[in-house]
Amino acid sequence: MLTVTLRNLERDGMVRRQVHAEVPPRVEYALTLLALSMLPALSKLTGWIDTHWDEIDGARVRYDLKR
């Protein structure tokens, strides 16, 4: 699953994959400039999550109790 996710991120231009010709093989991944440009928006999203975490957690608990 991790490989599929990384390949999709590479396809979308979010990560750069570099294969090193070594034994054993080594692969490095790095964020591209496109992915780095998303960081301010993601920071706002994670800030919102931090602010509302108790509400989110409470909703999960209430949902799970109904099941």
Side-chain angles (χ1 to χ4, degrees), residues 35-64:
L36 291 171
S37 73
M38 270 196 315
L39 293 181
L42 291 175
S43 178
K44 287 183 181 184
L45 176 61
T46 57
W48 181 90
I49 292 168
D50 286 343
T51 299
H52 297 282
W53 184 252
D54 290 339
E55 294 169 74
I56 295 166
D57 193 43
R60 289 177 175 176
V61 169
R62 287 187 301 277
Y63 179 87
D64 291 344

Side-chain angles (χ1 to χ4, degrees), residues 3-66:
T3 300
V4 171
T5 300
L6 287 169
R7 292 284 165 90
N8 284 331
L9 288 169
E10 183 181 14
R11 180 175 180 248
D12 292 342
M14 298 295 164
V15 297
R16 178 186 52 80
R17 181 176 183 257
Q18 182 176 1
V19 179
H20 299 273
E22 301 175 356
V23 176
R26 182 169 59 101
V27 179
E28 290 181 340
Y29 291 89
L31 294 177
T32 63
L33 291 176
L34 179 61
L36 291 171
S37 73
M38 270 196 315
L39 293 181
L42 291 175
S43 178
K44 287 183 181 184
L45 176 61
T46 57
W48 181 90
I49 292 168
D50 286 343
T51 299
H52 297 282
W53 184 252
D54 290 339
E55 294 169 74
I56 295 166
D57 193 43
R60 289 177 175 176
V61 169
R62 287 187 301 277
Y63 179 87
D64 291 344
L65 288 173
K66 288 194 263 182

